[in-house]
Amino acid sequence: MYRRILVAVEHSAADRTILEHIRPLAKLTGATLVLVHVADGWAARNMDQLKLKESEEIRDDRSYLDALEQELRADGLAVETRLAAGDPATEIIRAAEAEGVDLIAMSTHGHRFLADLIHGTTVDRVRHLVKVPVLLLRAEKK
């Protein structure tokens, strides 16, 4: 069924929604979880072309991914992580193709209405441009 599941995490409370949902599925299928976070701040988006040093944002995101990986491994799951920088939709699609995933899992919360209308949401762009199923869950409001 599923061998590799890409889980897009955004380093926010919304991640708990998708992680708690995908955990039992990964256990049931024996799938490897590929956690992907896309740093999209100014420094992250321009790091390569401006030859910038790793920013505090990137270091913090890497620590967050490491902590999630340890938590999920302690629960008996196979986990890989990938930290990307740039446009979230583009990088999630790129990671899905490079990692050969069977499913993309991500949460949605629709909090940037005007920007979403102008540019389209990350979720919408990913859903329409990948060739694998996309599992979307609305993030719980706390």
Side-chain angles (χ1 to χ4, degrees), residues 45-60:
R45 287 179 181 253
N46 294 289
M47 195 163 67
D48 288 339
Q49 69 189 76
L50 298 177
K51 298 184 180 11
L52 299 173
K53 290 184 179 178
E54 192 171 86
S55 69
E56 185 175 331
E57 172 194 12
I58 297 287
R59 287 189 300 274
D60 189 41

Side-chain angles (χ1 to χ4, degrees), residues 37-132:
H37 173 72
V38 182
D40 66 343
W42 185 87
R45 287 179 181 253
N46 294 289
M47 195 163 67
D48 288 339
Q49 69 189 76
L50 298 177
K51 298 184 180 11
L52 299 173
K53 290 184 179 178
E54 192 171 86
S55 69
E56 185 175 331
E57 172 194 12
I58 297 287
R59 287 189 300 274
D60 189 41
D61 289 339
R62 190 177 315 284
S63 274
Y64 178 71
L65 277 175
D66 290 346
L68 287 178
E69 179 180 15
Q70 289 175 7
E71 172 189 327
L72 294 166
R73 283 185 185 276
D75 198 23
L77 296 167
V79 183
E80 298 173 12
T81 62
R82 182 173 177 154
L83 178 58
D87 173 65
T90 301
E91 295 304 321
I92 290 168
I93 293 164
R94 185 175 289 148
E97 291 171 353
E99 298 293 336
V101 301
D102 310 297
L103 176 70
I104 298 173
M106 54 196 308
S107 62
T108 179
H109 39 74
H111 67 292
R112 294 181 278 179
F113 181 70
L114 186 57
D116 291 348
L117 285 176
I118 295 168
H119 304 292
T121 66
T122 298
V123 168
D124 287 337
R125 290 177 53 214
V126 169
R127 257 188 8 195
H128 290 98
L129 295 174
V130 296
K131 296 177 179 161
V132 297

